[in-house]
Amino acid sequence: MTDAMTPPADLYRHGMRLLLDKDIDGWVALFADDALVEFPFAPDGFPSRLEGRAALAAYMRDYPDRIDMREVPRLDVLGTDAPGTVVAEMRVTGLLVATGEPYAMDYIVVMTAEGGRIVRWRDYWNPLAVPAPKREAMSLGAPKAPFAAPNAEAEAETETEAGDV
C-alpha cells in the first residue's frame, strides 16, 4: 500500500510489483485523477499522450491479455534534483500473449509523484526495437499496451545485473 509519505522510488517499485501481479486496477490507482502519461517515442498509430486516470485505465484495460509481463531482471531507480521525480531504467521480459513469443525490452521512465500519487509518467520505450509485424501482434489490432513490445532478439542478450522489484 502507498500513502502520501511514500517516497517516489518506493511508489515506482510498488507499481512494478502490481504490473507483475497483473493488477492493472491497482497500478492505475497509483495515478492521480489528472495524471499525464506520455510516450515520447510512440510509433504511428499509438497514442503519445494520455490525460487523466480514466484514459490510462481504458488504455491499460487489456494489458494482461496482450503482454504476459513475467520479470523485471534489471531495475535501477534514481533520484533527481526535481522534487518527487525519479528516473527508472529497467528491462522487462515476458511473453507476447497472441503469439507466445518471448519479448525483452529496455525502458527509461521519468516519474513524478505528489502526495503519494503519480502525476506524470514519461515512458521512453523504443519502437524501433520492435519490427512492425510484432507491434501489430502485440496490439491485437489496436495499440493499447504501453510497456513491452516483443523483441526476441533482445532476450538473447545476457543480463548480469538483477534488480529487486
Side-chain angles (χ1 to χ4, degrees):
M1 233 25 195
T2 63
D3 61 32
M5 301 304 295
T6 302
D10 292 346
L11 183 64
Y12 189 90
R13 285 186 182 93
H14 179 65
M16 289 299 97
R17 283 190 297 274
L18 291 170
L19 287 174
L20 283 167
D21 291 343
K22 294 159 185 51
D23 183 355
I24 302 306
D25 291 339
W27 184 75
V28 170
L30 298 177
F31 287 76
D33 288 338
D34 61 350
L36 175 61
V37 177
E38 298 171 293
F39 308 105
F41 300 133
D44 289 342
F46 283 66
S48 61
R49 182 180 179 100
L50 301 170
E51 295 184 32
R53 186 187 309 154
L56 178 61
Y59 182 76
M60 291 294 293
R61 178 182 48 239
D62 299 327
Y63 183 83
D65 297 330
R66 299 170 191 284
I67 296 170
D68 182 5
M69 184 172 150
R70 294 198 172 173
E71 188 177 12
V72 180
R74 181 174 45 87
L75 174 63
D76 296 310
V77 182
L78 309 168
T80 70
D81 290 338
T85 299
V86 295
V87 175
E89 182 177 3
M90 65 183 175
R91 171 171 275 267
V92 173
T93 61
L95 295 174
L96 179 62
V97 173
T99 65
E101 291 181 72
Y103 75 79
M105 181 64 74
D106 294 315
Y107 299 89
I108 300 289
V109 174
V110 180
M111 184 200 84
T112 301
E114 294 174 2
R117 294 279 180 244
I118 299 167
V119 296
R120 188 169 184 198
W121 179 281
R122 283 171 289 168
D123 190 334
Y124 293 89
W125 70 281
N126 180 4
L128 297 177
V130 185
K134 287 187 178 185
R135 276 198 310 268
E136 290 170 17
M138 176 189 80
S139 67
L140 301 177
K144 291 186 178 181
F147 289 98
N151 187 346
E153 295 82 18
E155 188 165 87
E157 296 175 12
T158 303
E159 288 299 321
T160 58
E161 182 181 352
D164 60 327
V165 176

